[in-house]
């Protein structure tokens, strides 16, 4: 319950920055760079402006004509498993970074987030068709488990030397599909610090001819599944009501408001989609900043949310016997530290250095903690005054810029727009004209 100040930094990084929001970008960058011990190149990469040279971009995708920039913010105050983290977030939406930082600050007063995860096991699917005896085929494949695993592992000695590799198989059976009966062989592969798509796709293609030989069937698809339900990360946070209290709402009221808000997302897919979008507001910016595949994370998250047959909330909010609010989030997170843009994009490399995570599993745990913080921020606002007031106050800066404000004018105009609850460009233009003596 004691808020961690300077002495709260157990890994050398103290994520609690006072008045960080009030600084200019260059000053913020300086503080982050100093706190995380980044070098000049990493600092430059985080600062934007040419972070991704055109020749690198040209090597990453096809038909390159340029690069596309997003704001990169750093969420502060995160304590996860007793360690402080600074969270890089690349995102276009106002209030996301502020909300995550604020919730992390509340959580920090109660010990922060606790996380755990499974081994980083991805699935590949090998689709077999043209089978007269799908049940017999399934039994045959399971009989040959050792041979299948050995062949899958024959192609990637590096992964084996790192302690990864194909660990197991599953065989799924669909008796009735529009294309007849199907048997789907799954390879369960520990991909260690990779996102794993290339690894498991190669294994699936390697194993496919053996699957045909063993079964007499015909292989069509050989591809990973983004429903990475063997690669799960979990976060938990417990907040006492006195930390939740606001000027207009008691902590107990706030806690039960959050529980009631979550209850709708548990039973109603219309609300669950928005609730989960709020969770992804925290996760995606971290995924983007670290050069990872956000479409894969999104696909896995939403498929997992529908695993019961009905799409539902990924998180749960409860009130413990102690009266504390308890939030939990469990979902697939297929993130890598090696390969792809994580290795080639200088800003992604610098973002990973800032996070100072040692493994892809640790990165996944940080991601779910941020997702849970973001979810709590949204529910806290929605359960009380609604999100528009806070959101518009932050959005006011955008509007001021659109109206042509520069430098200090931006803050002045944004403050006036927010104070009058009238956040519109024409209003911002009027204030700007007045400020400039027009
Ligand atoms: C907005 O980007 C996200 C929220 O709609 C999430 C939610 O409703 O829980 C505020």
């Amino acid at each position: 319950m004691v808020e961690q100040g300077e002495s709260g930094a157990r890994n050398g990084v103290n994520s609690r920055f006072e008045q960080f929001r009030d600084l200019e970008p260059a000053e913020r960058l300086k503080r982050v760079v100093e706190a995380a011990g980044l070098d000049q190149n990493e600092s430059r990469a985080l600062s934007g402006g040419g972070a991704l040279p055109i020749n690198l971009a040209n090597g990453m995708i096809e038909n390159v004509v340029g690069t596309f920039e997003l704001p990169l913010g750093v969420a502060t105050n995160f304590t996860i498993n007793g360690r402080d983290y600074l969270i890089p977030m690349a995102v276009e939406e106002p209030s996301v970074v502020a909300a995550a930082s604020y919730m992390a600050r509340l959580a920090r007063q109660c010990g922060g987030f606790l996380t755990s995860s499974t081994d980083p096991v991805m699935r590949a699917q090998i689709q077999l068709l043209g089978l007269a005896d799908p049940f017999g085929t399934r039994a045959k494949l399971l009989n040959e488990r050792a041979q299948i695993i050995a062949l899958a592992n024959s192609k990637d000695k590096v992964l084996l030397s790192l302690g990864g590799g194909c660990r197991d198989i599953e065989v799924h059976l669909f008796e009735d599909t529009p294309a007849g009966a199907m048997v789907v062989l799954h390879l369960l592969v520990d991909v260690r610090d990779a996102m794993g798509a290339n690894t498991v796709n190669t294994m699936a293609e390697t194993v496919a001819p053996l699957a045909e030989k063993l079964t007499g069937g015909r292989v069509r698809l050989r591809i990973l599944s983004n429903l990475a339900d063997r690669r799960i990360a979990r976060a938990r946070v417990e907040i006492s009501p006195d930390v939740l209290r606001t000027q207009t709402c008691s902590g107990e009221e706030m806690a039960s408001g959050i529980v009631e808000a979550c209850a709708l997302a548990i039973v109603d897919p219309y609300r669950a989609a928005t609730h989960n979008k709020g969770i992804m507001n925290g996760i995606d910016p971290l995924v983007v900043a670290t050069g990872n595949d956000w479409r894969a994370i999104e696909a896995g998250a939403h498929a997992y949310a529908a695993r019961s047959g009905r799409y539902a909330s990924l998180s749960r909010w409860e009130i413990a016997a102690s009266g504390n609010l308890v939030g939990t989030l469990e979902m697939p997170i297929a993130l890598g530290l090696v390969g792809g843009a994580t290795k080639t994009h200088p800003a992604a490399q610098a973002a990973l250095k800032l996070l100072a995570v040692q493994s892809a599993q640790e990165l996944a745990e940080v991601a779910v903690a941020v997702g849970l913080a973001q979810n709590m921020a949204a529910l806290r606002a929605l359960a009380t005054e609604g999100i528009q007031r806070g959101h518009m106050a932050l959005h006011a800066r955008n509007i001021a810029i659109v109206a042509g404000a520069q430098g200090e004018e931006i803050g002045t105009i944004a403050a006036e727009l927010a104070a009058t609850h009238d956040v519109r460009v024409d209003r911002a233009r009027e204030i700007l004209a007045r400020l400039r003596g027009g």
Side-chain angles (χ1 to χ4, degrees):
M1 282 292 294
V2 176
E3 186 158 1
Q4 292 171 8
E6 295 304 315
S7 60
R10 268 164 261 182
N11 62 330
V13 174
N14 183 352
S15 66
R16 177 83 190 99
F17 286 1
E18 302 285 345
Q19 314 296 320
F20 192 55
R21 245 168 85 175
D22 303 332
L23 302 177
E24 288 301 314
E27 293 168 327
R28 289 195 201 107
L29 177 67
K30 190 161 172 272
R31 288 202 56 186
V32 164
V33 163
E34 276 168 13
L38 305 185
D39 66 26
Q40 260 187 0
N41 286 337
E42 288 153 352
S43 169
R44 206 170 307 122
L46 287 184
S47 73
L52 182 62
I54 195 72
N55 60 323
L56 274 186
N58 195 33
M60 286 168 74
I61 65 164
E62 309 72 42
N63 298 359
V64 167
V65 296
T67 58
F68 183 89
E69 292 186 328
L70 278 175
L72 177 70
V74 174
T76 54
N77 305 327
F78 273 86
T79 299
I80 303 170
N81 301 327
R83 219 203 97 172
D84 272 19
Y85 291 85
L86 291 166
I87 314 289
M89 299 178 88
V91 65
E92 88 299 342
E93 185 173 332
S95 80
V96 163
V97 179
S101 303
Y102 186 62
M103 289 310 126
R105 187 172 159 194
L106 297 190
R108 180 183 188 85
Q109 295 175 53
C110 304
F113 298 85
L114 294 177
T115 63
S116 65
S117 55
T118 64
D119 282 342
V121 173
M122 294 295 285
R123 281 176 191 274
Q125 296 186 292
I126 302 167
Q127 178 197 24
L128 284 151
L129 302 104
L131 302 160
D133 58 342
F135 285 90
T137 302
R138 178 171 184 274
K140 227 185 259 173
L141 286 168
L142 289 170
N143 266 347
E144 299 302 332
R145 175 179 174 276
Q147 193 188 163
I148 293 168
I149 292 175
L151 179 61
N153 282 334
S154 65
K155 278 285 163 76
D156 201 335
K157 300 284 178 236
V158 176
L159 182 61
L160 290 193
S161 73
L162 294 170
C166 183
R167 296 250 176 279
D168 208 348
I169 64 167
E170 283 177 10
V171 184
H172 297 214
L173 197 157
F174 300 94
E175 281 182 86
D176 189 19
T177 82
M182 272 175 213
V183 165
V184 186
L185 171 61
H186 287 210
L187 305 178
L188 303 181
V189 186
D190 184 330
V191 296
R192 297 284 91 199
D193 284 333
M195 184 274 177
N198 285 331
T199 308
V200 302
N201 290 342
T202 304
M203 282 189 185
E205 291 187 8
T206 304
V207 166
L210 174 64
E212 284 187 334
K213 194 170 124 211
L214 291 172
T215 63
R218 175 169 56 78
V219 165
R220 182 65 70 186
L221 300 181
R222 297 142 295 164
I223 186 76
L224 95 165
S225 169
N226 286 120
L227 175 48
D229 59 356
R230 293 295 196 98
R231 195 175 189 177
I232 298 292
R234 315 171 193 98
R236 177 181 188 281
V237 70
E238 179 164 344
I239 317 256
S240 72
D242 38 304
V243 169
L244 288 170
R245 189 177 44 230
T246 67
Q247 277 176 344
T248 54
C249 184
S250 75
E252 286 75 14
E253 240 178 286
M254 177 72 78
S256 60
I258 289 174
V259 170
E260 284 174 8
C262 183
L264 182 58
I266 294 169
V267 298
D268 176 13
Y270 287 101
R271 173 57 203 155
T274 322
H275 178 102
N276 291 341
K277 191 271 182 182
I279 292 171
M280 302 316 289
N281 271 351
I283 294 176
D284 284 343
L286 172 61
V287 175
V288 174
T290 57
N292 273 285
D293 179 346
W294 73 91
R295 287 89 54 214
I297 299 291
E298 283 281 341
H302 298 294
Y304 194 70
R307 69 194 180 285
S308 72
R310 198 191 59 216
Y311 186 87
S313 163
L314 285 164
S315 66
R316 288 288 186 278
W317 291 93
E318 307 162 301
I319 295 177
S322 59
N324 288 349
L325 177 70
V326 177
T328 47
L329 173 60
E330 176 178 307
M331 57 184 284
I333 302 269
L335 289 176
L337 293 186
V338 293
T342 52
K343 267 280 176 270
T344 45
H345 197 307
Q349 281 284 289
L352 285 170
K353 178 93 180 284
L354 174 65
L355 281 158
V357 289
Q358 302 304 314
S359 66
Q361 238 174 294
E362 187 183 349
L363 180 59
E365 292 185 23
V366 170
V368 278
V370 181
L372 188 58
Q374 203 75 48
N375 181 222
M376 181 176 153
L379 297 188
R380 183 176 176 274
L382 288 167
T384 52
E385 64 173 18
I387 59 159
Q388 278 313 81
R389 202 161 136 218
H391 186 76
M392 289 316 266
L394 293 170
H395 187 53
R397 289 183 64 85
N398 258 342
I399 297 295
I401 293 167
V402 172
Q406 289 182 349
E408 287 178 6
E409 291 168 344
I410 299 170
T412 311
I413 294 174
E416 189 166 332
L417 292 173
T420 54
H421 305 303
D422 190 8
V423 184
R424 288 179 299 123
V425 179
D426 55 336
R427 189 67 202 104
R429 286 206 184 99
E430 279 169 28
I431 305 171
L432 182 61
R434 197 190 70 221
L435 285 179
R436 290 182 178 173

